[in-house]
Amino acid sequence: MKYINQFKKYFEVSEGFNDIKFQDMAIKIEPDVFSPYIFTDSSWFALEVYKLIKQQEKRSLRFLEIGCGCGIVSMLATKAGAKVTATDRYQEAVENTKQNLWNNKLYYEDIFISDVFDKVNSKFDIVFWNHPFHSQNIPKAKKNIWLTCFDPGYKSLDKYLQQGLDKLRPGGKLLLGTSKSANTDLQQELFKKYRLKHKILKSSDTVKVINNSAELRSAEETIYQIWQIKKA
């Protein structure tokens, strides 16, 4: 119940922030879409993905984001020069990402509904997912936005790790955005299940889970990381 009660408050506060500025981009956040204004992980991952793409020698790099939300990561990937495809399991997020890319004159290859890789038929140079960190069950009555932070039993992460390497072009990278708040024991069980290992490509300083606000001063701290997933 600890995280359930915390996130109930976080989501209530996030509903008041529908338009934000980030890296000279205007970003609109629709109702029931994860808010990078309140939660700090999306903006950190977006900037680090931008840097990783810029470091690649390959031109016309094809990038896939799973769970695109409002599109902040895909927007920075596009600005870095990648050909972007983005997916989300929810129509609200897919339309929100399309809207934000078009409004900022950033162009994409495709954006569509998919539960992890269910509708993904192409291969990419980089696949990235900022996965929901928390593995607890949530009340059935909760809205879609809860599943941006909670992946009960890590069932979706299981699919990502099982299928992700098959979605790469030769020399491609399967990346996972995660944090010290995640269920590391269950992550390691899944790595063992699929005979995988990970290399830490990027790691943040200790940061607040949410941006400073009067309502949320007691928010916990964590460390964000980007892992590259490989066969063990």
Side-chain angles (χ1 to χ4, degrees):
M1 285 298 294
K2 171 189 172 185
Y3 288 116
I4 297 293
N5 292 332
Q6 282 182 341
F7 279 88
K8 181 180 179 181
K9 183 65 174 178
Y10 297 171
F11 293 138
E12 288 173 354
V13 173
S14 71
E15 289 175 359
F17 300 96
N18 301 319
D19 298 281
I20 65 171
K21 291 281 189 180
F22 181 72
Q23 297 291 303
D24 298 322
M25 299 182 300
I27 301 176
K28 185 175 181 62
I29 306 162
E30 295 292 349
D32 288 341
V33 175
F34 187 85
S35 173
Y37 179 87
I38 293 295
F39 300 96
T40 59
D41 57 322
S42 295
S43 56
W44 187 85
F45 286 122
L47 289 170
E48 295 305 323
V49 165
Y50 175 89
K51 295 174 189 175
L52 285 169
I53 292 172
K54 281 292 193 182
Q55 291 169 1
Q56 306 304 307
E57 295 181 1
K58 186 171 186 177
R59 295 184 179 181
S60 301
L61 181 147
R62 299 193 68 215
F63 176 86
L64 170 66
E65 181 184 14
I66 300 296
C68 55
C70 72
I72 189 171
V73 172
S74 286
M75 294 169 78
L76 264 291
T78 303
K79 286 176 77 84
K83 293 183 176 180
V84 169
T85 296
T87 74
D88 201 286
R89 66 169 75 181
Y90 299 117
Q91 184 70 38
E92 299 94 329
V94 166
E95 295 304 322
N96 201 173
T97 293
K98 288 180 179 178
Q99 177 187 36
N100 282 324
L101 280 157
W102 275 110
N103 287 349
N104 288 276
K105 295 182 172 57
L106 299 169
Y107 304 108
Y108 55 86
E109 287 206 324
D110 205 357
I111 302 175
F112 55 92
I113 295 174
S114 179
D115 186 358
V116 194
F117 297 114
D118 286 355
K119 302 291 179 63
V120 176
N121 298 315
S122 301
K123 293 183 182 288
F124 300 87
D125 299 295
I126 294 179
V127 176
F128 174 79
W129 186 28
N130 171 14
H131 81 106
F133 302 148
H134 304 290
S135 60
Q136 298 95 321
N137 289 322
I138 58 175
K140 290 183 179 179
K142 297 300 181 185
K143 295 181 180 180
N144 293 347
I145 193 171
W146 282 79
L147 292 176
T148 64
C149 296
F150 292 83
D151 176 12
Y154 277 171
K155 291 181 180 178
S156 293
L157 180 59
D158 188 304
K159 292 171 66 174
Y160 187 79
L161 296 176
Q162 180 186 24
Q163 303 170 19
L165 292 175
D166 293 333
K167 300 300 179 181
L168 299 178
R169 300 168 86 179
K173 293 185 170 100
L174 179 65
L175 306 182
L176 183 71
T178 189
S179 90
K180 293 293 186 180
S181 302
N183 184 339
T184 54
D185 289 339
L186 187 49
Q187 284 176 331
Q188 293 308 312
E189 286 181 23
L190 293 175
F191 274 67
K192 184 176 180 180
K193 177 180 178 180
Y194 296 114
R195 298 180 181 178
L196 300 171
K197 62 182 180 180
H198 74 271
K199 173 185 177 183
I200 299 173
L201 297 185
K202 299 283 184 176
S203 188
S204 74
D205 297 326
T206 300
V207 294
K208 290 282 189 183
V209 171
I210 52 88
N211 283 308
N212 292 325
S213 73
E215 298 91 338
L216 301 172
R217 282 177 183 159
S218 62
E220 67 179 275
E221 295 181 333
T222 192
I223 293 172
Y224 300 131
Q225 294 182 333
I226 296 178
W227 296 352
Q228 181 178 354
I229 312 301
K230 298 180 178 182
K231 281 291 185 184

